[in-house]
Amino acid sequence: MDQKRAERLANLDVRRIQSLSDSVFAIVITILSFTLVVPAGENNDGVRRFLWDQILPKLFIFFLGFIIVGAYWVDTHYNHHHILKVDKMSIWLNIIFLMFICLIPFSSGFLANYLYSAISVIIYSINLILVSFWHLMMLIYSWRRKYIQPYVDKKLYQNMQWRIILPIIIYLFIIPIS
């Protein structure tokens, strides 16, 4: 591979990866809202019971999922702000990360429908562990390739890592508790 082609491949447009990520996050948040269904045909007593037994737990899971997806978007946006350049591998790491982001509505829906099942908590936690893992891989790759802005020192980089690792630890503790 000649030098010019190697430089072009190592200097792909960061804005493209940001745009794709923003689009995927917007779609995932929209899909989360589609999991909310309004029941029909209940009398007053049935509606109250259905509200407490079915609707409120699903609303709680929706809000939880929305906040989690929002937190990942904020952190991804923050990390992308510090990225100077990307290459083909950076893009693929981001694609894999986004793939697991796209599974959040499924794992949230599973959790909402089987709220008191350990397996639903495990599936949800594993999904979020995988999201965080690939998010961490993107950051580590960018750091090692020196694709991060020069003002990002080792202390800031470690802080960025810690913000990704802490949720993994929490999710790992949730699994045996479930």
Side-chain angles (χ1 to χ4, degrees), residues 1 20 42 54 74 157:
M1 179 174 352
L20 174 65
E42 295 287 335
Q54 298 292 323
V74 167
Y157 168 68

Side-chain angles (χ1 to χ4, degrees), residues 10-43:
N11 291 314
L12 299 173
D13 192 355
V14 176
R15 292 172 298 177
R16 300 277 305 195
I17 202 168
Q18 292 167 334
S19 295
L20 174 65
S21 297
D22 286 348
S23 300
V24 169
F25 275 100
I27 291 167
V28 166
I29 284 174
T30 302
I31 291 171
L32 272 173
S33 69
F34 291 156
T35 62
L36 299 174
V37 178
V38 177
E42 295 287 335
N43 61 30

Side-chain angles (χ1 to χ4, degrees), residues 48-63:
R48 277 191 217 108
R49 189 171 34 259
F50 196 79
L51 177 69
W52 287 107
D53 294 345
Q54 298 292 323
I55 300 297
L56 290 179
K58 289 183 183 193
L59 276 173
F60 172 75
I61 299 303
F62 165 76
F63 290 133

Side-chain angles (χ1 to χ4, degrees), residues 69-81:
V69 170
Y72 279 118
W73 178 83
V74 167
D75 204 43
T76 302
H77 180 73
Y78 177 78
N79 287 354
H80 282 161
H81 175 72

Side-chain angles (χ1 to χ4, degrees), residues 55-141:
I55 300 297
L56 290 179
K58 289 183 183 193
L59 276 173
F60 172 75
I61 299 303
F62 165 76
F63 290 133
L64 177 67
F66 195 97
I67 288 170
I68 286 173
V69 170
Y72 279 118
W73 178 83
V74 167
D75 204 43
T76 302
H77 180 73
Y78 177 78
N79 287 354
H80 282 161
H81 175 72
H82 297 299
I83 300 292
L84 186 60
K85 58 185 175 178
V86 294
D87 63 14
K88 202 171 186 179
M89 179 60 93
S90 305
I91 293 170
W92 277 108
L93 290 171
N94 194 69
I95 293 288
I96 296 169
F97 164 73
L98 292 173
M99 176 180 65
F100 288 107
I101 287 289
C102 288
L103 280 177
I104 291 176
F106 168 76
S107 62
S108 290
F110 197 81
L111 182 61
N113 287 325
Y114 302 99
L115 187 59
Y116 303 107
S117 169
I119 193 71
S120 66
V121 175
I122 292 168
I123 288 171
Y124 193 68
S125 297
I126 288 172
N127 185 183
L128 297 179
I129 288 168
L130 290 168
V131 168
S132 294
F133 172 79
W134 288 104
H135 193 193
L136 183 62
M137 292 301 99
M138 290 187 316
L139 180 64
I140 290 170
Y141 181 79

